[in-house]
Amino acid sequence: MANIEGVVVTPLKIIADERGSVMHVLRSDAPYFKQFGEVYISTINPGVVKGWKRHSRSTSNMAVPIGKMKFVLRDTRPDSPTFDVVQEVELGEDAYQLLTVPPGVVYGWKSLTDRIAYVINCASELWAPDESQNLPLETYGYSW
């Protein structure tokens, strides 16, 4: 499966000792950091699929600290060299990474565990109804 231009998957640090751990998500000095809009946590129940989501201005920076999720991305930017390319990425406790998704790339996600999974999104923009679009799962014919 090909990579979509502008989508970046970055391994993240987990600093652990006998007391617990610190799980890095995003730093302002990271090359893929654009700006800060808001941070939120979404949960997804076991086996559930959410999507499709498209942002017109916001870059999403997502990590999954609890559980495991499969993200499916599709490039819907007509002028992109990777237009219509589909990319799959798994994130979770055993694959602790940051997924950076630029505006115009549609994504959906599915929980791959038997417990609630958590995704942290550090978005570059504040949520706004004219900036964010939800599309039905049937839109792209992807077989989850």
Side-chain angles (χ1 to χ4, degrees), residues 56-57 126-133:
S56 61
R57 296 184 303 270
L126 292 171
W127 182 88
D130 69 327
E131 188 282 323
S132 177
Q133 181 182 23

Side-chain angles (χ1 to χ4, degrees), residues 38-102:
E38 65 179 354
V39 174
Y40 61 87
I41 297 173
S42 292
T43 63
I44 186 167
N45 292 329
V48 170
V49 177
K50 286 186 177 182
W52 299 98
K53 171 71 85 177
R54 176 175 33 220
H55 292 283
S56 61
R57 296 184 303 270
S58 187
T59 296
S60 295
N61 295 286
M62 298 175 285
V64 178
I66 299 171
K68 184 175 183 179
M69 299 168 86
K70 175 182 177 179
F71 287 80
V72 178
L73 305 98
R74 181 181 216 106
D75 192 348
T76 61
R77 302 168 295 177
D79 297 334
S80 171
T82 54
F83 176 72
D84 217 26
V85 167
V86 174
Q87 181 176 349
E88 298 176 358
V89 177
E90 287 188 7
L91 302 178
E93 296 165 79
D94 59 344
Y96 192 59
Q97 306 173 93
L98 184 71
L99 174 61
T100 302
V101 181

Side-chain angles (χ1 to χ4, degrees), residues 98-121:
L98 184 71
L99 174 61
T100 302
V101 181
V105 174
V106 174
Y107 59 90
W109 57 100
K110 178 180 182 177
S111 173
L112 299 177
T113 60
D114 58 359
R115 61 187 172 133
I116 293 176
Y118 291 75
V119 61
I120 298 171
N121 186 7

